[in-house]
Amino acid sequence: MTDEAPMLEVRGLGKTYGDGPQAVHAIDEINFTVARSEFVCVVGPSGCGKTTLLRCLAGLMSASTGQVSIEGRRLDRTPEEMAIVFQDYSRSLFPWMSVEQNIAFPLRRKRLGRAKQQQLIKDSLEAVNLADAGRRYPWQLSGGMQQRVAIARALAYEPQVLLMDEPFAALDAQTRADLEDLTLKLRHEYGVTVVFVTHDIDEAVYLADRVIALTPRPTRVREVIDIDLPRPRNQLTTKELPDFARLRGHVYRQVRQLDDGADQREAATAS
Amino acid sequence: MSTSIIPGTRRRLLRSPKFTDGLLGAAGLVTVLAVLEFSTIVGLLPEKTFPRVSADLRELAGMAGAAELWTAVGHTLQGWAISFALATVIAVLLGIAVGSNAVLYAATSAVIEFLRPIPSVALIPLVVLVLGTGLQSKVFLATFAATWPVLVATIYGMRDVEPVALETARSFRARPRDTLLSVVLPGAVPYIAPGLRVASTTALILCVTAELVIGAPGLGQSITVAQAGGQYQLMYAFIIATGLLGVLLNLLFVALEKRLLRWHPSQRSQGGVQ
């Protein structure tokens, strides 16, 4: 039975903050599933409750209605099989710990034995191309390197699901492109299921197998778009494909809630 | 408007080299000593009660080899060490409990705010009555006074832990013990470390006060004895020794703070990329 259950299932998820007249209806109702080893990007207009959704997916916040299940098990806290990469790497990494200690911290509970733990740390640092940074401290590294450390920490935890909350939003374009490709490479190597929340439509289309486009608050799923672009993807050639432009345009319209004629009208009024 | 051609140049010249700071500090100290010395020489200060500073320092240098000074220093340091250690353990444990429990915080903050402003010295008569005039009284007074700065710092530190760091620990299902010892407490160190430095000074002050007032053995008692015997140079020598002890302890704690907080933005002098 659990073999057939999707890796992640969101059913009837809703979230309202507060009650009475001050209540904020953040998420109306969200349904979707994520298959094993799938790469799903969640995009939506600014302030549409992406963070709320992610926190509910992560088990860091309880939903008002509905539920999130991982392999058929309803989750009430972050499940064992899940690791989260937060947007704010400089606060998510512990500055008083070296890079190695940061990666080792989530492993403590697992009591893996020293050799196995060292191996996981070494492998994960190599996977993110930071093999020599183990002894350094996060604040001695650039922003992109810090986020790679956070990714290494998540990988060493050996998760089946990787939840990433706008992980590259604070980075410059060049670094962001590099880390997107790194994420794709790691997904391929580790076979991990990725749920990637972003407000960047290009990024979503470039990375995902499927894009889930959300509506403004109170949030619902507006459309689920299959991204059938060939893999491996490439920052240049993939983005030059007519299909990329078509999908990007489609997702853009969904997120901005434009019908096919609306963007032309918008362009006309702008000029 | 500013007349400086290159902004920041002037500040940098005055600030950057560490030895300039040291030099200025030394110059200030020498000036004060010279003014005191001069005031005694010209009769501005009566020589009987204000012997020349140079004579006081000679007296102190002369005592450097004598057991009398070191015994007194030893007594004072013993009281300081015991009360500082006690205060730290009590305050940090209590601070963790109060800082991590909203109910306990609400229930105790009024009590803490009431007890904290009581000057330790006001308890001297009571303490002498109950504990006598020995080490116990000294330790009680110094511990009482030194606990507050650490306690308050620990409580604030516990309540100001980076939420993302806490959430990260939670998302990795860290055990409460690991979260407390490796995330919450280190995150509170920027508060606790200055608290410890203040507590160290407070403990020393209270130890010397106890020695002065209730006659427990130590530098404070030596100062009173010298004064009662009319040996003013000796008295000043002990006073200077007490001051030097305070300076040394403070330097020790500044260094410790630097070491403990080398990851903190306030202490990061080098190595950062951004």
Side-chain angles (χ1 to χ4, degrees):
Chain A
M1 140 106 217
T2 40
D3 285 340
E4 289 155 31
M7 193 72 226
L8 206 63
E9 180 175 22
V10 182
R11 213 167 57 212
L13 182 84
K15 180 73 187 179
T16 304
Y17 294 100
D19 46 13
Q22 256 101 55
V24 177
H25 196 29
I27 297 179
D28 185 34
E29 190 191 330
I30 289 186
N31 296 289
F32 66 85
T33 58
V34 181
R36 181 175 294 277
S37 297
E38 198 180 12
F39 199 127
V40 168
C41 283
V42 177
V43 286
S46 313
C48 79
K50 290 190 294 281
T51 305
T52 303
L53 172 62
L54 180 116
R55 290 171 55 86
C56 290
L57 284 181
L60 290 170
M61 180 190 271
S62 57
S64 308
T65 55
Q67 63 178 53
V68 178
S69 322
I70 184 160
E71 293 189 303
R73 285 179 293 111
R74 184 179 178 155
L75 62 91
D76 53 351
R77 59 185 285 208
T78 312
E80 189 86 48
E81 306 88 331
M82 188 185 276
I84 302 165
V85 174
F86 293 87
Q87 177 187 348
D88 201 344
Y89 45 81
S90 66
R91 293 172 200 273
S92 178
L93 295 172
F94 308 122
W96 47 87
M97 294 185 194
S98 70
V99 165
E100 277 177 358
Q101 290 168 333
N102 264 287
I103 299 174
F105 177 74
L107 305 179
R108 283 191 205 171
R109 182 176 51 79
K110 299 193 171 192
R111 302 179 178 282
L112 299 167
R114 194 168 164 71
K116 165 85 171 149
Q117 180 167 317
Q118 288 307 110
Q119 193 61 41
L120 281 172
I121 295 171
K122 188 166 162 284
D123 291 349
S124 66
L125 278 175
E126 273 169 13
V128 300
N129 306 320
L130 281 176
D132 298 327
R135 296 285 160 81
R136 304 184 69 185
Y137 284 82
W139 40 272
Q140 294 174 316
L141 307 173
S142 70
M145 289 162 92
Q146 289 183 46
Q147 193 57 295
R148 271 146 69 193
V149 172
I151 293 171
R153 177 170 66 181
L155 287 176
Y157 191 66
E158 300 183 296
Q160 295 185 43
V161 180
L162 193 58
L163 226 54
M164 304 180 85
D165 180 17
E166 305 201 33
F168 311 140
L171 301 170
D172 63 88
Q174 173 74 56
T175 309
R176 176 190 287 223
D178 291 346
L179 284 182
E180 285 167 6
D181 290 338
L182 177 72
T183 307
L184 287 177
K185 183 188 84 137
L186 294 173
R187 196 278 289 250
H188 182 69
E189 284 173 6
Y190 283 73
V192 66
T193 309
V194 184
V195 178
F196 191 108
V197 175
T198 178
H199 63 263
D200 184 329
I201 290 161
D202 281 57
E203 185 170 72
V205 172
Y206 178 67
L207 292 173
D209 297 321
R210 273 193 305 152
V211 169
I212 295 174
L214 303 176
T215 67
R217 274 207 317 230
T219 310
R220 305 180 69 95
V221 174
R222 187 164 162 91
E223 196 188 344
V224 179
I225 303 116
D226 284 317
I227 307 294
D228 46 7
L229 298 168
R231 292 191 185 268
R233 303 219 172 132
N234 178 288
Q235 293 283 355
L236 263 179
T237 55
T238 301
K239 290 186 177 176
E240 281 168 352
L241 293 173
D243 274 348
F244 181 84
R246 178 181 57 78
L247 286 163
R248 182 192 170 282
H250 184 73
V251 175
Y252 191 93
R253 286 189 191 91
Q254 291 303 315
V255 169
R256 303 300 289 265
Q257 298 205 296
L258 305 169
D259 59 63
D260 280 333
D263 44 340
Q264 279 144 28
R265 283 197 298 278
E266 193 180 59
T269 45
S271 60
Chain B
M1 292 306 292
S2 170
T3 53
S4 179
I5 300 167
I6 309 163
T9 315
R10 203 180 131 75
R11 257 178 78 199
R12 188 162 300 171
L13 270 177
L14 275 172
R15 280 222 181 149
S16 76
K18 270 194 172 161
F19 70 86
T20 313
D21 284 358
L23 226 58
L24 284 172
L29 186 63
V30 168
T31 309
V32 170
L33 291 177
V35 167
L36 282 174
E37 179 89 9
F38 186 72
S39 304
T40 306
I41 291 173
V42 299
L44 221 57
L45 295 171
E47 180 141 18
K48 185 173 176 299
T49 43
F50 291 93
R52 292 188 191 186
V53 174
S54 57
D56 300 337
L57 290 172
R58 259 203 309 282
E59 179 84 28
L60 182 63
M63 278 167 34
E68 190 190 1
L69 174 69
W70 296 111
T71 313
V73 169
H75 279 299
T76 302
L77 267 184
Q78 180 199 27
W80 171 85
I82 296 173
S83 31
F84 177 73
L86 275 175
T88 303
V89 172
I90 294 170
V92 170
L93 290 182
L94 216 63
I96 289 173
V98 173
S100 58
N101 185 325
V103 177
L104 210 56
Y105 177 75
T108 53
S109 54
V111 180
I112 290 171
E113 286 315 309
F114 171 73
L115 286 176
R116 190 160 70 114
I118 298 178
S120 230
V121 284
L123 300 175
I124 288 178
L126 173 70
V127 171
V128 171
L129 204 64
V130 179
L131 295 174
T133 58
L135 181 65
Q136 278 186 336
S137 295
K138 181 158 80 173
V139 166
F140 178 89
L141 290 168
T143 306
F144 182 85
T147 298
W148 304 114
V150 185
L151 177 61
V152 172
T154 308
I155 292 173
Y156 283 136
M158 295 282 298
R159 294 177 68 82
D160 192 38
V161 180
E162 176 56 53
V164 180
L166 218 51
E167 197 138 83
T168 302
R170 197 147 71 87
S171 77
F172 286 117
R173 299 162 68 105
R175 291 170 297 196
R177 188 173 54 106
D178 286 339
T179 303
L180 176 67
L181 295 181
S182 299
V183 179
V184 177
L185 266 189
V189 168
Y191 289 84
I192 299 175
L196 289 177
R197 182 152 52 85
V198 174
S200 150
T201 308
T202 309
L204 182 67
I205 292 172
L206 264 295
C207 281
V208 174
T209 307
E211 291 156 7
L212 276 167
V213 178
I214 64 182
L219 283 166
Q221 188 203 43
S222 301
I223 292 168
T224 332
V225 170
Q227 182 252 350
Q231 299 167 283
Y232 296 134
Q233 276 181 14
L234 186 64
M235 179 185 81
Y236 279 106
F238 278 120
I239 291 174
I240 294 168
T242 310
L244 287 176
L245 191 61
V247 171
L248 281 178
L249 286 176
N250 196 50
L251 285 177
L252 182 76
F253 276 85
V254 169
L256 186 76
E257 208 172 315
K258 245 195 153 91
R259 169 99 186 91
L260 277 175
L261 287 178
R262 68 193 188 287
W263 55 268
H264 194 257
S266 69
Q267 306 288 343
R268 287 178 207 165
S269 49
Q270 60 205 8
V273 171
Q274 291 180 312

